[in-house]
Amino acid sequence: MNQLTFGLSLDELLALDEELFLTLEEAFVLVQKELTDLALSERFGSVITQAFGETVDAEVVEEIRRQWAAGDFGALPEVRILTEGELQGARGAYAKELNTVFLAQEFVARNQEKAEEILAVWLEEIGHFVDTQINAVDMTGDEGEFFSVLVRKHLFNQTQVDEIRADNDTEIFEESRVFWI
């Protein structure tokens, strides 16, 4: 996903509000910066272990680190914009079967002046993607949210960590035999 097309068709791109597109573009630049900074930092291994556990595929983790450190984001899932209704009220979702991150159009529109909010959700969904790449089994809790918090260096206390670990983040929606995670 080096080009910012968000996996949209030409008709969908043309229908997308220009301000909304610019907001997504700004958020994507932040996503790239955060992932590159993480990959180049000494805390990369710690973030991966804290978010995804110790039984990860080390070779895949190293390949992800290498790609992000080089500014190569081509392996990231494509991004599609759907309505909150289509996402059943969620701000974002990741569909493993489609290798696609979905962001809610209304959420993006409400946060046009707050790219950091979009960044947080986008990184959370990338966290779910990373989990599917480096773990054979989905981790307990909301590893995507934990990854997003750790990448953005947000401070949180043990109660918040426990809440994230207890959150069952796997919600599967079936629509035309497509499963959303």
Side-chain angles (χ1 to χ4, degrees):
M1 193 178 81
N2 290 324
Q3 294 185 0
L4 195 59
T5 61
F6 304 108
L8 301 177
S9 70
L10 180 59
D11 288 341
E12 289 171 313
L13 278 171
L14 293 173
L16 195 60
D17 176 83
E18 183 178 349
E19 286 186 37
L20 194 67
F21 184 80
L22 293 173
T23 299
L24 289 168
E25 190 173 51
E26 179 183 351
F28 186 58
V29 168
L30 292 174
V31 165
Q32 292 175 321
K33 180 186 180 325
E34 290 290 344
L35 295 178
T36 300
D37 289 352
L38 174 66
L40 293 172
S41 76
E42 292 181 9
R43 55 188 203 91
F44 179 82
S46 174
V47 167
I48 296 298
T49 301
Q50 288 178 60
F52 305 112
E54 295 185 19
T55 58
V56 298
D57 184 326
E59 288 180 24
V60 176
V61 169
E62 180 55 27
E63 179 61 18
I64 289 170
R65 188 206 61 74
R66 187 194 61 69
Q67 289 172 354
W68 292 354
D72 177 1
F73 301 100
L76 288 181
E78 73 176 15
V79 175
R80 301 289 306 249
I81 306 301
L82 296 178
T83 66
E84 285 179 344
E86 290 170 309
L87 290 175
Q88 298 187 10
R91 299 178 302 169
Y94 170 67
K96 176 182 177 182
E97 291 79 8
L98 299 173
N99 192 32
T100 302
V101 167
F102 297 93
L103 296 174
Q105 183 173 359
E106 297 86 346
F107 165 72
V108 174
R110 280 192 308 272
N111 289 286
Q112 285 186 345
E113 301 298 321
K114 302 175 197 164
E116 289 285 332
E117 294 293 322
I118 300 165
L119 170 68
V121 172
W122 203 332
L123 285 174
E124 179 176 347
E125 302 314 329
I126 289 171
H128 292 298
F129 159 74
V130 170
D131 187 43
T132 67
Q133 303 301 301
I134 66 175
N135 275 319
V137 179
D138 187 40
M139 290 286 300
T140 303
D142 191 344
E143 69 286 341
E145 181 180 1
F146 202 27
F147 175 76
S148 177
V149 167
L150 292 168
V151 169
R152 293 177 296 122
K153 302 177 200 165
H154 279 224
L155 300 176
F156 49 96
N157 59 39
Q158 189 58 46
T159 301
Q160 292 167 312
V161 171
D162 293 343
E163 288 172 1
I164 291 171
R165 290 275 186 231
D167 184 20
N168 180 8
D169 68 326
T170 304
E171 295 182 38
I172 301 175
F173 307 101
E174 187 172 358
E175 182 179 296
S176 303
R177 300 181 66 176
V178 173
F179 293 89
W180 311 71
I181 298 175

